[in-house]
């Protein structure tokens, strides 16, 4: 009964390839996020979706494209992978502004290694 | 823009002792939320404690408590009776809620090691 799940947990690929990371939450939340944790462990938001609508889009290369088929899923597709894309990518979810707690629940992370 | 600063990259403490992790932040907002997250070697991000800025009372969760000083924009985490399982990276995080959605801004993290 995992709350926020991500697949795969590990992804090793070569430069130039295209890859996707999937995220699903079964908490009934309506807002989902992607965060990137770099090699120095620094976490930064990339995107956020509310009810399948893109809400937050930080300064992220166009090679990164999130897609939300429904409010329980938020996938991250990365084109033309570069060495600098190597990082841990976290998916998170929360209730929208109606929820006074605003707590975000994180998935287990996907470690992407680009060789 | 909001910034969060954790000035202690690494800390260590003996088992059963108390340790305090520091965090300062900068914002012009008056209504916001502060969090401490723990990331053990398993990589999972675990919420440790939450503080609403409009609440004067410091939050506590079992062995974890915070010292929230709003005027000083300080939000430190105290861990009492440290346990080996507390060994982890600890992140301070700040959040404002906007009509366009909320986002967490994280500090750089503090690696805490609990020694037996």
């Amino acid at each position: 009964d995992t709350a926020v799940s991500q697949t795969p947990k590990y992804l090793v690929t070569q430069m130039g390839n295209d890859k996707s990371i999937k995220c699903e939450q079964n908490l009934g939340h309506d807002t989902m996020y992607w965060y990137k944790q770099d090699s120095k462990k620094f976490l930064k938001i990339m995107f956020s979706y509310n009810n399948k609508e893109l809400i937050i889009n930080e300064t992220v290369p166009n090679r990164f494209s999130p897609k939300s088929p429904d409010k329980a899923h938020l996938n991250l597709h990365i084109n033309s992978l570069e060495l600098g894309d190597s990082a841990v990518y976290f998916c998170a979810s929360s209730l929208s502004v109606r929820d006074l707690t605003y707590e975000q629940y994180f998935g287990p992370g996907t470690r992407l290694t680009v060789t | 823009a909001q910034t969060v600063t954790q000035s202690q990259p690494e800390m260590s403490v003996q088992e059963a002792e108390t340790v305090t992790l520091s965090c300062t932040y900068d914002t012009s907002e008056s209504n916001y939320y502060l969090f401490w997250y723990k990331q053990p070697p398993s990589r999972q991000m675990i919420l440790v404690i939450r503080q609403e800025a409009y609440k004067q009372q410091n939050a506590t969760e079992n062995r974890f408590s915070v010292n929230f000083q709003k005027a000083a924009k300080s939000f430190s985490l105290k861990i009492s009776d440290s346990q080996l399982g507390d060994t982890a990276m600890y992140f301070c995080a700040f959040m404002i809620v906007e009509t366009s959605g909320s986002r967490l801004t994280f500090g750089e993290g503090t690696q805490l090691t609990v020694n037996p």
Side-chain angles (χ1 to χ4, degrees), chain B residues 70-87:
Chain B
K70 191 171 183 178
K73 296 180 182 175
S74 170
F75 182 60
S76 60
L77 174 70
K78 185 171 83 171
I79 306 174
S80 304
D81 187 25
S82 297
Q83 300 176 359
L84 296 178
D86 295 334
T87 292

Side-chain angles (χ1 to χ4, degrees), chain A residues 9-10 33 35 37 40-43 45 48 55-56 58 88 90 94 97 100-104 106-111, chain B residues 33 35 37 39 42-47 50 52 54 89 91 95 97-108 111:
Chain A
K9 290 188 178 175
Y10 298 92
Y33 312 80
Y35 288 86
Q37 185 174 41
K40 296 184 178 180
K41 298 289 186 81
F42 187 66
L43 275 152
I45 191 167
S48 125
I55 300 298
I56 295 173
E58 291 295 291
V88 179
F90 285 96
S94 71
V97 294
L100 296 178
T101 63
Y102 307 108
E103 178 177 336
Q104 293 186 17
F106 283 79
T110 296
R111 179 177 292 281
Chain B
Y33 298 78
F35 303 85
Y37 279 87
Q39 186 178 39
S42 67
R43 200 170 70 206
Q44 180 70 51
M45 292 291 289
I46 302 166
L47 179 65
R50 172 181 60 240
E52 292 86 345
Y54 61 85
M89 180 75 88
F91 292 97
M95 182 169 70
V97 179
E98 303 166 297
T99 53
S100 60
S102 62
R103 71 184 72 195
L104 284 167
T105 300
F106 288 91
E108 308 93 327
Q111 176 64 49

Side-chain angles (χ1 to χ4, degrees), chain B residues 8-70:
Chain B
Q8 305 150 315
E10 296 180 352
M11 293 192 71
S12 62
V13 64
Q14 291 299 121
E15 196 174 6
E17 293 188 347
T18 296
V19 64
T20 299
L21 309 183
S22 301
C23 173
T24 58
Y25 58 94
D26 188 26
T27 184
S28 57
E29 301 288 334
S30 59
N31 189 22
Y32 49 87
Y33 298 78
L34 294 162
F35 303 85
W36 278 97
Y37 279 87
K38 165 185 176 181
Q39 186 178 39
S42 67
R43 200 170 70 206
Q44 180 70 51
M45 292 291 289
I46 302 166
L47 179 65
V48 174
I49 199 165
R50 172 181 60 240
Q51 175 79 44
E52 292 86 345
Y54 61 85
K55 289 187 178 178
Q56 293 185 337
Q57 185 173 5
N58 289 324
T60 61
E61 286 287 343
N62 301 315
R63 297 183 295 108
F64 299 88
S65 62
V66 298
N67 183 2
F68 174 46
Q69 302 289 327
K70 191 171 183 178

